[in-house]
Structure formats: structure tokens, C-alpha cells
Amino acid sequence: GDLDKVVNLLLSLSGRLARVETALGSLGPHAPAEDKLALREKRRLLVAQLEDAKELKEHVGRREEAVGAMVARYLPAEHLQDYQHFVKMKSALIAEQRELEEKIKLGQEQLRCLRESL
């Protein structure tokens, strides 16, 4: 459960940071200074939160290793491999699901913009 939450947090923060950086990049030279300042501050906060989330993921990883070592004492090798595969795949599938959700949102937004421009 903690792994799910941390992976989702990392993906969420990364996505938000990417959107802020895109917004910063799309600001023209005549954009209000307040807008630039607000986006830079938001970017700074997101970078700090992302670093904290990475540290949290490392902590969860260490805890996962400790749990894995304890589980290894009680499970036969075949079941242990299944457990390890499950843990690895769960993170990968969460990331893939999130990426697909983002692509769907982007596609829907692009479709909405196209409809509005017609």
C-alpha cells in the first residue's frame, strides 16, 4: 500500500512539475512579472516536494527489502520469486496506468481544443 502511494505521489509531482515548466516556457517576454514569479515559486516548491518524495521512496525501498528478507525465511523459493515479481510489477503497472491516464487527459484536451477551433 505504501509503495502504491509513493509511486502515485512521485508521478503526480512529476506531472505537475512538467506542467509548470511547460507553462513557464510558454510565457512570452511580455508576460506579467507576477505570473513568472508565481510559476517559478510553484516550480521551486514542486522540486522540493519531489526530492522529499524520492527520499520517501528510498525509505519504502529499504523497508521493502527488510520485509522481503523476512518473507524469504518463511516462503519456499518458488513463492518468494512470485512475491518479488509481484512487487516489481506492481510499481511498473502503477506507473504505466498513470502514464496512460495522462495521455488520455491530454488527448481529451487536444480534442476539446480542436472542436473549439472549428
Side-chain angles (χ1 to χ4, degrees), residues 74-92:
Y74 299 102
L75 288 180
E78 178 184 308
H79 291 140
L80 181 61
Q81 288 177 345
D82 290 343
Y83 168 79
Q84 291 168 337
H85 178 73
F86 170 77
V87 171
K88 279 185 187 175
M89 289 306 299
K90 189 166 185 166
S91 293

Side-chain angles (χ1 to χ4, degrees), residues 52-67:
D52 290 345
K54 286 178 183 178
E55 288 178 22
L56 189 58
K57 181 156 186 342
E58 289 174 12
H59 173 72
V60 169
R62 287 189 300 272
R63 203 171 78 202
E64 178 186 325
E65 288 176 15
V67 169

Side-chain angles (χ1 to χ4, degrees), residues 13-53:
L13 289 170
S14 296
R16 289 173 58 198
L17 182 59
R19 286 191 294 276
V20 167
E21 288 178 343
T22 299
L24 265 171
S26 67
L27 285 178
H30 303 295
E34 308 86 53
D35 292 351
K36 290 180 184 179
L37 186 61
L39 284 173
R40 285 186 185 128
E41 179 62 17
K42 187 179 272 191
R43 182 187 179 285
R44 186 188 66 75
L45 290 172
L46 286 169
V47 167
Q49 290 175 340
L50 190 58
E51 289 303 314
D52 290 345

